[in-house]
Amino acid sequence: MPASDRGAVALRRGENQAQVAGLLLEGVPGGRGQGDGHREVVGHGGGQAHRGGQGTPADDGTGSQHRADESASTVFVWQQIALAAVLAAGTLICAVLWFSTTMLVLVAAINVAVALAVGAKALISTVGTAWETVEQVTDAEVAALVDTELPVYTILVPVYKEAGIVGLLMRNLADLDYPREKLEILLLLEEDDPETLAAALAAAPPDFVRIVVVPHSMPKTKPRACNVGLAFAHGEYVVIYDAEDRPDADQLKKSLIAFRKGGDDLVCVQAALNYFNAKENLLTRMFTLEYSSWFDYTLAGLDKLRLPIPLGGTSNHFRTDMLRDLGGWDPYNVTEDADLGIRASAQGHRVAVVNSTTYEEANMAVGNWIRQRSRWIKGYMQTVLVHTRHPWRLLGAVGPRQAAGFALLIGGTPLMFLASPWLYAMFVVQLIWPGLLTGTLPSWLVTVSMGNLLLGNGVIIYLSLLAGFKRRSYALVPFALFSPIYWLLHSIAAYKGAWQLVTKPFYWEKTNHGLSSHVQPEPVEVRGAVPAEDSATTWSAGRRHAAAERQDGVRPSAIAGGLSRLGLSSEEQA
Amino acid sequence: MNDVANPLAALRSGASSAEAESFAEARVALAVRGATPPHVPMRRVLLTCSGLLVTEVAVMLATDQSLHDTLLPGYLILMVAFALVFCLGAVTVAGFPAGAAAAGLVALEVGNLLPLLAGAALLALVCGVAPGWARVEAWQAAHTKPLTSEQEAAVAQRGLNGDARRGWAPGVRLRNYWRADRVLAAFLVLAFPPSIMAFALWFVGWTATR
């Protein structure tokens, strides 16, 4: 197969590691070793920015096709800029001429935004709670599957600068209950990350793991790497996992059954996400409560109400052909998953949830958390801007109920975070200088604002209480009372995200993983390839260890230091 | 086939206390693997509650009662019914209408708060020993935690022996352990809505009169 100077390179086990590392360091992927039978090259010039004309399918540099007006590559269209300018100028002029009335309208608008967003979340989550013991897929259905009749499943794992947890990733994926001959794992590495490549090669994965080196280009985002992976995928179904993910062992099989039961319009099945390091500190506890509420109640409610589901960043399973028809992920959108969920709905497809959980590492540092959350909120803003470019078209495509659900959830969420501090400011002013606000605003509006703030916080606290209770994480439940503080952190992240939307719209705030004491980075031991039978032993041992680790909560590093050592320690234990 | 060693048949002699504890947990985990959550016919509960409410409102309106007097028993019916479903039926979502109804009672009369909190505490204590919650927890644990290799071996052994009806290890039963954390969590779920309602009423009234 011919190699391209800027093409993605897929490596199989046995590839000359030193040669590849050398190529990466030289910045000339695929420049040598052509036609050696181990390397595939797909895709096109990765350095080309995605700037196609409106309505014209444009190449994003990875083989995926996007309509430019469905991509966040253009942040604002002129109509949106004009509307924002008119609103800003109008507000300014009105404030000069009729200050009290303008303030009344602004405060009322903030109240309406917060009340609608909180109300929608409460309503959707309440519907979700009603199905708390319903299993979309039962164990009996999983047991009835015949391995020989299963389709090929592709797992995409984008990894960047995460050399320390590659070995752990291999172990976690080895825990999956799926026939190895039907499994294809694509490890998506970036060209400028030779350390992770070295670690991946040192882990000596078996043949069904392929390492794909994504050529350097901008924007350097996870969705761009996933699009490259999608071009390589041979599976009938494809799923994305992050480097630190620990999916339930039967997740692939459950998703497969969910697809079979879900009908032809079902494009994606989303598994629940939760955290394995919930009790590490206050932030991880709050994050876990939030995720429990979001994935167990809110997404379940969206599913039952047949509203558009913004996908989570990982553990979303797709029908590969339908995903390709949708154009893959938008590499310019920093929450490409949420965007894809909405785009799928707009094209008449459906997203469902499945009763399986992937355990991730909760962010345990405030700075790291704000970086991650500002990216998510910025991505929601991008998604709203993209899908409201043609509001009438959206309304016609998805209908008024779904459009309202999209506006309230995707649009309402950042709006609520941006608006909340102003309500808090009013609260503080009212506490310290009673009567000051009523000099400008009618007293009924001040009362409504205070009530709105209290009620909104009450709803958020209560949903977290219920979510913790439902997961039987009783020890976490009292921490739900800290939700107002946690939500103020969201507001900080929202303002950062809004600022970045203007200044650095495509900048991907990298989340640092491996900070938890549950995920101690393992020393990378670069060595040559190992025989196939050795790696097979390693993988089965890894599976047993991952199961034991989850059951017992033992730190991975306490079990074994690296993938290569697992095989030995396992045999010794046996 | 029956002579295959079962790793969970008996604790080896000379085992440490930690090993004994782990062994006991493993036996319980295996025993509860077949546990199912209690099934509460929520549709029937909703219909019964609706019927009671409609009757109550009709009677109160027919006897020319005030809105306050009409709402009071209505909220009471909802609160008691769903609080019982929450505690005995182990349905988390039932805590939502129970709490909302309690908040409604406080909105009618703030003086109801203390008796309501006392009632919530009593129900939370019931939750601490309610068998329904133990069954739900066992069912959930069996669905979220993979078995260890030892437990897998024991399950396989149980299959070989044709004994799939109950826990493999004799004498292991699903027991109701006192769960103080569950009591506190249940209290918060039941008591939070009336408390926040009382606080909101107090705060708004306080700021208005300053």
Side-chain angles (χ1 to χ4, degrees):
Chain A
M1 190 171 287
S4 147
D5 276 354
R6 306 294 300 170
V9 183
L11 308 172
R12 293 182 191 283
R13 209 172 59 74
E15 179 77 56
N16 186 318
Q17 164 198 331
Q19 180 189 27
V20 173
L23 289 174
L24 285 175
L25 291 172
E26 289 168 23
V28 190
R32 280 188 271 166
Q34 295 178 18
D36 58 4
H38 297 298
R39 186 178 303 172
E40 296 173 31
V41 181
V42 295
H44 306 280
Q48 301 302 312
H50 176 189
R51 299 280 181 189
Q54 187 173 357
T56 308
D59 191 334
D60 66 3
T62 64
S64 291
Q65 299 293 310
H66 272 94
R67 291 167 61 92
D69 63 343
E70 289 179 351
S71 169
S73 57
T74 303
V75 184
F76 303 100
V77 294
W78 71 265
Q79 293 96 329
Q80 289 166 336
I81 295 171
L83 182 65
V86 166
L87 278 177
T91 306
L92 204 62
I93 291 168
C94 288
V96 171
L97 296 177
W98 309 285
F99 183 73
S100 288
T101 310
T102 308
M103 290 308 290
L104 186 149
V105 172
L106 282 177
V107 173
I110 286 172
N111 273 285
V112 169
V114 172
L116 282 177
V118 173
K121 187 173 170 60
L123 177 69
I124 291 164
S125 300
T126 306
V127 172
T129 58
W131 276 266
E132 66 181 36
T133 54
V134 172
E135 287 185 287
Q136 291 92 344
V137 179
T138 64
D139 288 349
E141 288 174 308
V142 172
L145 288 175
V146 180
D147 278 2
T148 52
E149 295 171 4
L150 295 177
V152 173
Y153 222 115
T154 298
I155 299 175
L156 302 180
V157 191
V159 186
Y160 185 54
K161 306 276 186 195
E162 290 172 306
I165 57 175
V166 164
L168 186 64
L169 162 73
M170 297 292 180
R171 278 217 304 270
N172 291 336
L173 293 183
D175 189 29
L176 288 169
D177 174 23
Y178 208 79
R180 295 298 179 253
E181 65 277 13
K182 300 287 180 71
L183 206 54
E184 177 191 49
I185 298 176
L186 299 182
L187 204 56
L188 309 172
L189 309 181
E190 295 287 342
E191 180 184 342
D192 62 349
D193 185 17
E195 295 85 6
T196 309
L197 176 66
L201 291 170
D207 282 343
F208 56 89
V209 177
R210 284 197 294 160
I211 298 169
V212 177
V213 180
V214 180
H216 173 76
S217 74
M218 298 307 287
K220 187 190 288 296
T221 57
K222 175 179 162 185
R224 198 179 69 90
C226 288
N227 281 335
V228 171
L230 183 62
F232 277 94
H234 293 116
E236 190 177 330
Y237 298 91
V238 62
V239 59
I240 298 173
Y241 289 125
D242 277 348
E244 84 283 12
D245 282 0
R246 301 179 189 178
D248 277 348
D250 57 1
Q251 191 172 109
L252 300 187
K253 288 185 173 177
K254 276 191 171 171
S255 302
L256 186 63
I257 294 167
F259 275 117
R260 289 178 180 173
K261 291 163 74 172
D264 291 339
D265 62 341
L266 184 62
V267 64
C268 176
V269 169
Q270 170 75 59
L273 302 180
N274 216 285
Y275 293 119
F276 53 73
N277 61 330
K279 294 177 183 172
E280 202 133 359
N281 61 24
L282 179 61
L283 190 61
T284 59
R285 286 182 170 93
M286 300 310 300
F287 211 164
T288 306
L289 282 173
E290 183 197 6
Y291 252 37
S292 299
S293 174
W294 178 255
F295 283 98
D296 294 353
Y297 286 157
T298 309
L299 289 197
L302 289 171
D303 188 12
K304 296 301 169 194
L305 293 169
R306 295 293 176 104
L307 293 175
I309 294 182
L311 301 174
T314 164
S315 305
N316 20 58
H317 303 249
F318 296 92
R319 291 185 206 272
T320 310
D321 55 346
M322 290 173 83
L323 179 57
R324 286 188 175 127
D325 288 345
L326 281 170
W329 296 268
D330 180 1
Y332 290 89
N333 193 315
V334 293
T335 50
E336 76 294 346
D337 30 40
D339 168 71
L340 185 57
I342 307 305
R343 192 148 34 94
S345 289
Q347 296 194 18
H349 300 305
R350 203 163 58 79
V351 176
V353 294
V354 68
N355 54 319
S356 180
T357 302
T358 297
Y359 292 88
E360 296 189 303
E361 178 195 355
N363 230 316
M364 53 181 292
V366 174
N368 203 26
W369 183 94
I370 288 179
R371 274 200 300 278
Q372 183 185 48
R373 193 55 62 115
S374 68
R375 173 166 60 80
W376 292 358
I377 295 174
K378 180 174 75 175
Y380 267 37
M381 293 173 184
Q382 283 182 317
T383 304
V384 169
L385 288 169
V386 167
H387 292 279
T388 53
R389 286 172 186 168
H390 308 286
W392 299 115
R393 190 196 292 173
L394 177 73
L395 201 61
V398 302
R401 197 169 59 90
Q402 298 227 8
F406 163 73
L408 288 172
L409 200 72
I410 309 299
T413 300
L415 208 56
M416 178 175 60
F417 294 141
L418 292 172
S420 290
W422 297 104
L423 287 183
Y424 273 105
M426 289 179 67
F427 179 80
V428 171
V429 168
Q430 186 71 354
L431 273 182
I432 300 174
W433 299 287
L436 185 67
L437 288 173
T438 45
T440 310
L441 299 169
S443 59
W444 64 266
L445 187 56
V446 176
T447 304
V448 166
S449 299
M450 297 301 104
N452 203 5
L453 182 68
L454 289 171
L455 189 68
N457 278 300
V459 168
I460 298 306
I461 291 172
Y462 199 58
L463 287 175
S464 298
L465 281 175
L466 284 179
F469 207 95
K470 192 218 163 189
R471 280 260 162 187
R472 316 303 160 212
S473 307
Y474 301 125
L476 292 183
V477 170
F479 290 93
L481 299 175
F482 290 101
S483 295
I485 299 169
Y486 183 63
W487 279 60
L488 272 177
L489 276 182
H490 281 79
S491 294
I492 296 171
Y495 277 97
K496 184 180 178 186
W499 175 250
Q500 281 199 355
L501 181 70
V502 179
T503 56
K504 293 190 281 186
F506 313 127
Y507 178 63
W508 188 277
E509 284 275 17
K510 176 91 175 73
T511 310
N512 295 325
H513 294 299
L515 303 178
S516 164
S517 61
H518 295 255
V519 190
Q520 290 299 322
E522 297 169 355
V524 178
E525 185 186 342
V526 180
R527 60 188 180 88
V530 296
E533 53 271 27
D534 283 359
S535 57
T537 306
T538 300
W539 274 66
S540 65
R543 192 180 160 216
R544 285 203 299 275
H545 272 277
E549 170 193 327
R550 257 196 307 211
Q551 180 76 8
D552 302 327
V554 179
R555 282 169 32 176
S557 54
I559 298 174
L563 189 63
S564 57
R565 276 187 282 148
L566 258 174
L568 289 174
S569 59
S570 165
E571 295 310 313
E572 283 163 9
Q573 285 181 2
Chain B
M1 299 290 269
N2 287 344
D3 59 349
V4 178
N6 188 318
L8 293 182
L11 182 64
R12 70 179 181 84
S13 58
S16 66
S17 59
E19 194 179 340
E21 190 181 344
S22 166
F23 179 80
E25 280 179 7
R27 278 163 61 98
V28 170
L30 185 59
V32 301
R33 189 147 174 81
T36 53
H39 177 68
V40 179
M42 287 303 289
R43 191 183 297 269
R44 199 173 297 170
V45 171
L46 285 172
L47 283 175
T48 308
C49 274
S50 304
L52 276 173
L53 276 179
V54 168
T55 310
E56 182 264 335
V57 170
V59 168
M60 298 301 261
L61 290 178
T63 53
D64 208 17
Q65 299 291 321
S66 65
L67 181 66
H68 177 277
D69 290 345
T70 306
L71 287 176
L72 199 69
Y75 282 138
L76 208 59
I77 289 169
L78 282 175
M79 187 188 70
V80 171
F82 284 101
L84 287 176
V85 171
F86 176 78
C87 289
L88 304 177
V91 179
T92 310
V93 67
F96 189 83
L105 284 172
V106 170
L108 288 178
E109 277 182 36
V110 180
N112 289 331
L113 180 64
L114 285 180
L116 282 171
L117 291 182
L122 189 67
L123 286 169
L125 288 172
V126 173
C127 279
V129 290
W133 285 112
R135 282 171 62 187
V136 168
E137 284 154 17
W139 172 78
Q140 199 159 8
H143 282 72
T144 54
K145 287 183 180 175
L147 292 180
T148 62
S149 52
E150 273 197 340
Q151 289 166 342
E152 278 179 0
V155 170
Q157 173 72 20
R158 193 169 65 184
L160 288 175
N161 292 340
D163 180 11
R165 275 186 301 107
R166 63 178 178 85
W168 187 88
V172 177
R173 293 285 187 276
L174 185 58
R175 290 173 53 190
N176 299 326
Y177 294 99
W178 169 257
R179 294 285 303 263
D181 54 353
R182 192 200 294 150
V183 172
L184 176 62
F187 176 75
L188 285 172
V189 167
L190 292 171
F192 181 76
S195 302
I196 190 82
M197 176 60 78
F199 177 75
L201 290 173
W202 169 80
F203 181 76
V204 170
W206 178 68
T207 51
T209 56
R210 283 175 75 194

